[in-house]
Amino acid sequence: MKKNEDSHSDPAWNLAELLERVDNDQELLRDLLNIFKEDFPLTMRSLESAVAAEDLKEAARLAHTLKGMLSSLGGVRTAAAAARLEVIASAGETASLKGALQALKCEAASLLPELEAYMAEVRH
Amino acid sequence: MKILIADDDALSRRLLEKTLERAGYEVTAVENGKQALEQLQKLEAPRLALLDWVMPELDGPGVCRAVRKRSEQTYVYMVLLTSKGTKEETVLGLESGADDYLTKPFNAEELRARLRVGERILLLEDRLVEARENMRFRATHDPLTSLLNRGAIMDLLTRELHRSHREKKSTTILLGDVDHFKRVNDTYGHVVGDEVLIETANRLLGSVRSYDFVGRYGGEEFLVVLNSCDPAFAPARAEAIRKSISNGPIQTAKGSLSLTMSLGALMSSDWGLRPVEELLHEVDTALYKAKASGRDCLRMAQPIARTEPVTAPLLQPLRLQH
């Protein structure tokens, strides 16, 4: 399973892969989504502060954490955006940092509504 | 089987926890490397560990290195979770002491399969340890009575004499011989003779404290070492041990037999620090006197009156046990 860095053919959210990972356990899936809903905005906020302060080390660490939770959840494109930010921060490319953060926020903006919609759906 | 998960991301942790519980594991989940190390140092700790690479406090490879540094502990099978999986990273992870690595996000089936590999390795380790323990026991114990064999009890006695001399305590050495044992063998056969030796061993073990040593010195001769034994009580304790043999007949396949034991005894306080072989010779002489005095009795070895101070090397160098 090979993926291009910029593969726009990837869905924002790969629900099928996630369902396979949780063995179709809806309760576990809800659990994960709830954890994500709580942890993601907090980590994003810290990342924004780190980028604003040009704290590269902290930005790389937070981007790594985001990458982990996003890829576990099947948020493929957003995870890729977090990964790019991690690489940029680790390489010390301060100039590209803000753009990378913007790209990450952009991807998140298309992922979050999908998750919300799914949660609303399974609740009923 | 117990397994430890260490991952700072709550979502990944929950996912791993649930996946592994479903696979039948007993899961302990922690959020950093320091906690992971603490868990692995506990008694009855998990022997399988799934460690995230990047973690606060101590990272995955750091945990691996710390665990591998410990010796004499059971093997922990450790799998690193990594998101990149570059060649350099893989090599670094394995060099730190990890057994395997998995790329995140993991595939549940692959994860389970890799952990089964770990279980196989641990099972193999258990068997090796068991075999080693069995061999160690056989090398130091008498196969008939399961008492310490001659070599083992001599080693222990040598150490004990050094220790008691250092700590200014007294050790009492007893050499016991089952009276008329040859007659038992000649009259009832070797099977009954063996039964007598086994029961004698049991009675001797039952009449000493847990930190004393009992060994089979040879044929029907037994060596008992009473550690840190107050010289004032030594004769009484030796008498009690002798009586444990004559107290009540021994049940054998050919009926019950009444037996006795002759004992020679020596207290290290009387003799100072001298070579073990020399001391045993003195005990043997005392045992011979007990036999000559009609058997079923105890004779204490008498201190030699020394006219000049001892200058010769007192003890052979300690043989180290492996």
Side-chain angles (χ1 to χ4, degrees):
Chain A
M1 205 167 61
K2 218 171 169 182
K3 272 176 209 149
N4 269 324
E5 277 268 308
D6 269 307
S7 174
H8 284 285
S9 55
D10 279 333
W13 189 31
N14 194 338
L15 178 59
E17 187 196 282
L18 179 58
L19 279 170
E20 193 195 316
R21 201 172 296 138
V22 299
D23 271 340
N24 282 306
D25 182 340
Q26 291 293 334
E27 200 189 318
L28 175 58
L29 184 55
R30 256 200 311 279
D31 258 13
L32 297 182
L33 287 169
N34 280 324
I35 294 172
F36 182 79
K37 224 178 127 186
E38 213 169 287
D39 283 5
F40 183 74
L42 287 175
T43 317
M44 265 314 264
R45 228 167 295 149
S46 306
L47 177 64
E48 283 173 52
S49 311
V51 169
E54 295 189 352
D55 182 346
L56 293 169
K57 211 178 146 200
E58 182 69 358
R61 189 185 73 78
L62 290 161
H64 182 88
T65 305
L66 284 172
K67 180 181 74 177
M69 66 172 88
L70 284 160
S71 62
S72 287
L73 202 67
V76 187
R77 271 166 31 202
T78 322
R84 273 193 296 277
L85 201 151
E86 185 190 358
V87 170
I88 286 165
S90 303
E93 296 168 18
T94 317
S96 317
L97 212 55
K98 289 204 170 100
L101 177 66
Q102 208 47 50
L104 170 61
K105 281 161 98 173
C106 221
E107 288 295 355
S110 65
L111 170 67
L112 296 177
E114 278 201 43
L115 303 182
E116 290 286 351
Y118 183 82
M119 284 180 90
E121 195 185 308
V122 291
R123 207 167 289 137
H124 295 123
Chain B
M1 184 159 207
K2 287 184 193 168
I3 187 165
L4 176 75
I5 299 171
D7 197 322
D8 56 329
D9 170 28
L11 197 150
S12 305
R13 205 164 57 231
R14 179 87 186 99
L15 183 58
L16 280 170
E17 195 176 4
K18 194 72 200 221
T19 306
L20 296 177
E21 274 173 6
R22 208 178 278 142
Y25 289 99
E26 197 182 318
V27 182
T28 307
V30 297
E31 52 192 76
N32 64 51
K34 214 175 129 205
Q35 290 173 1
L37 203 54
E38 278 166 18
Q39 288 295 328
L40 292 175
Q41 268 154 354
K42 280 187 181 168
L43 223 70
E44 308 271 306
R47 295 173 64 203
L48 268 179
L50 204 50
L51 309 164
D52 191 21
W53 186 297
V54 183
M55 280 189 290
E57 304 281 351
L58 185 65
D59 64 8
V63 175
C64 292
R65 274 190 290 272
V67 167
R68 292 291 179 248
K69 234 189 263 171
R70 327 178 297 192
S71 51
E72 285 296 318
Q73 263 174 324
T74 46
Y75 195 77
V76 184
Y77 190 90
M78 294 180 289
V79 180
L80 278 175
L81 284 169
T82 147
S83 52
K84 283 186 215 128
T86 63
K87 244 180 233 158
E88 292 77 7
E89 228 190 12
T90 308
V91 170
L92 189 69
L94 295 175
E95 297 269 299
S96 75
D99 295 282
D100 197 4
Y101 69 97
L102 260 178
T103 332
K104 281 211 275 188
F106 65 87
N107 172 282
E109 219 166 302
E110 187 184 353
L111 172 68
R112 286 191 290 264
R114 289 193 186 238
L115 290 176
R116 279 197 295 274
V117 172
E119 287 187 53
R120 280 207 298 274
I121 302 275
L122 291 176
L123 192 69
L124 200 63
E125 210 242 349
D126 284 346
R127 286 199 197 135
L128 281 171
V129 168
E130 205 191 318
R132 191 188 63 196
E133 291 305 315
N134 282 340
M135 273 163 66
R136 193 174 283 172
F137 187 86
R138 263 182 261 166
T140 51
H141 289 75
D142 169 50
L144 178 69
T145 60
S146 293
L147 290 180
L148 294 164
N149 62 23
R150 186 180 177 128
I153 194 153
M154 292 285 275
D155 277 347
L156 283 172
L157 177 59
T158 308
R159 281 157 188 262
E160 190 52 33
L161 288 173
H162 274 271
R163 196 175 68 88
S164 69
H165 185 75
R166 207 167 51 236
E167 294 173 4
K168 302 201 186 336
K169 284 182 176 155
S170 176
T171 299
T172 297
I173 309 169
L174 306 175
L175 192 59
D177 188 281
V178 181
D179 295 326
H180 301 300
F181 182 71
K182 194 172 173 300
R183 252 187 242 165
V184 176
N185 269 343
D186 292 348
T187 316
Y188 304 100
H190 288 278
V191 175
V192 171
D194 285 352
E195 284 181 295
V196 166
L197 291 175
I198 292 168
E199 178 59 16
T200 303
N202 289 339
R203 290 187 183 194
L204 290 176
L205 275 178
S207 59
V208 299
R209 301 159 303 179
S210 59
Y211 46 93
D212 294 327
F213 307 136
V214 181
R216 187 166 174 206
Y217 192 66
E220 69 273 26
E221 278 192 321
F222 296 86
L223 190 69
V224 178
V225 181
L226 304 175
N227 298 315
S228 307
C229 175
D230 188 329
F233 299 124
R237 290 205 50 213
E239 276 296 345
I241 289 166
R242 183 184 61 78
K243 282 181 190 145
S244 75
I245 305 301
S246 55
N247 255 353
I250 291 175
Q251 306 302 323
T252 73
K254 300 254 171 85
S256 58
L257 297 178
S258 288
L259 286 159
T260 57
M261 178 175 258
S262 300
L263 272 180
L266 176 143
M267 290 179 286
S268 67
S269 55
D270 291 342
W271 304 85
L273 201 51
R274 287 169 54 203
V276 172
E277 290 73 15
E278 234 179 275
L279 294 180
L280 283 170
H281 179 72
E282 302 296 341
V283 192
D284 200 36
T285 305
L287 171 60
Y288 179 80
K289 282 181 187 157
K291 290 275 183 192
S293 314
R295 300 184 168 84
D296 191 20
C297 63
L298 165 75
R299 285 294 174 266
M300 304 295 291
Q302 293 308 308
I304 298 171
R306 287 195 181 277
T307 46
E308 353 176 336
V310 186
T311 47
L314 291 178
L315 269 169
Q316 319 267 316
L318 251 182
R319 259 188 298 152
L320 285 178
Q321 241 182 13
H322 298 289

